[in-house]
Amino acid sequence: MPAFESVLTTPEQLAEHYRPPLELVARKKIDHVDDGAAALIAASPFVLLATSGADGRCTVSPRGGDPGFVRVLDPKRIAVPDLAGNNLLDSAHHLLANPHAGLMFLLPGTAEILRVEGHAVITVDDAVLDRVTGDGRRPVSAIGITVESVFVHCSASLKRSGLWDPESWGRVAAPTVGEVVRGHLELTAPPR
């Protein structure tokens, strides 16, 4: 397989290709969840959780629930319930080796994106699990994030993609998830 060519490998090379952020943009990152960020988290029914293992491999895991299923415990801590899923536990295994996580909160129908980054742990603390129990479903654990960075993310990607624009939906033919899974299972089937 050919390698990529003309790759950027240093901060100086990046600076040759990108302008520095405006001062206002650089200042929008804060180190805690303020009232505005807390309101966005409370309104969001969907968050993407990014983690990376000790080997550097990354994963992004979608998490969803009723708006506000992720709880702000205090300005420096939030908790994400770990509800039943596929039980591969990719994110959990990553966090055991590398306790850093990034969250991207989305609000359907709006261009609002909130990004939170911080130190993450897997907690089974009853007081935390009680706070993130919703719809009568108590999670096995919760991902506790000690907040290091919070900021409103640029919404240009949502606008360019037309993600919330119903007229853009279905504009490209794609296989169903079932078709993709069948192909993957054929590739990984044990020899007969």
Side-chain angles (χ1 to χ4, degrees), residues 11 16 19-20 25 28 58 60 63 66 69 75 85-86 103 109 132 138-140 143 149-150 164 168:
E16 291 174 18
R19 64 175 168 71
V25 172
K28 73 180 181 175
C58 300
V60 177
R63 308 293 171 115
D66 288 335
F69 76 102
N86 60 25
L103 299 168
V132 296
R138 183 180 177 88
V140 172
I143 297 169
S149 176
V150 176
W164 306 131
S168 75

Side-chain angles (χ1 to χ4, degrees), residues 1-154:
M1 178 173 9
F4 288 100
E5 296 181 16
S6 299
V7 297
L8 306 180
T9 59
T10 68
E12 293 78 20
Q13 290 172 328
L14 283 175
E16 291 174 18
H17 292 273
Y18 294 91
R19 64 175 168 71
L22 300 171
E23 184 213 348
L24 181 65
V25 172
R27 285 186 23 230
K28 73 180 181 175
K29 286 188 177 185
I30 60 174
D31 67 354
H32 64 283
V33 179
D34 66 353
D35 291 342
L40 288 176
I41 292 169
S44 177
F46 185 74
V47 66
L48 297 163
L49 169 67
T51 59
S52 175
D55 61 0
R57 290 183 178 266
C58 300
T59 190
V60 177
S61 177
R63 308 293 171 115
D66 288 335
F69 76 102
V70 174
R71 300 281 196 251
V72 175
L73 304 177
D74 59 54
K76 289 297 285 184
R77 298 181 310 140
I78 63 175
V80 181
D82 194 18
L83 298 167
N86 60 25
N87 279 346
L88 288 174
L89 304 177
D90 292 332
S91 299
H93 285 284
H94 281 175
L95 292 175
L96 294 175
N98 178 2
H100 300 282
L103 299 168
M104 185 170 286
F105 292 90
L106 299 176
L107 283 83
T110 76
E112 310 305 331
I113 303 173
L114 182 72
R115 198 161 113 189
V116 176
E117 299 164 347
H119 184 273
V121 296
I122 303 164
T123 180
V124 292
D125 181 321
D126 284 331
V128 173
L129 297 181
D130 287 346
R131 299 262 316 257
V132 296
T133 296
D135 290 339
R137 297 180 302 164
R138 183 180 177 88
V140 172
S141 67
I143 297 169
I145 309 284
T146 300
V147 175
E148 296 170 349
S149 176
V150 176
F151 62 99
V152 174
H153 204 284
C154 174

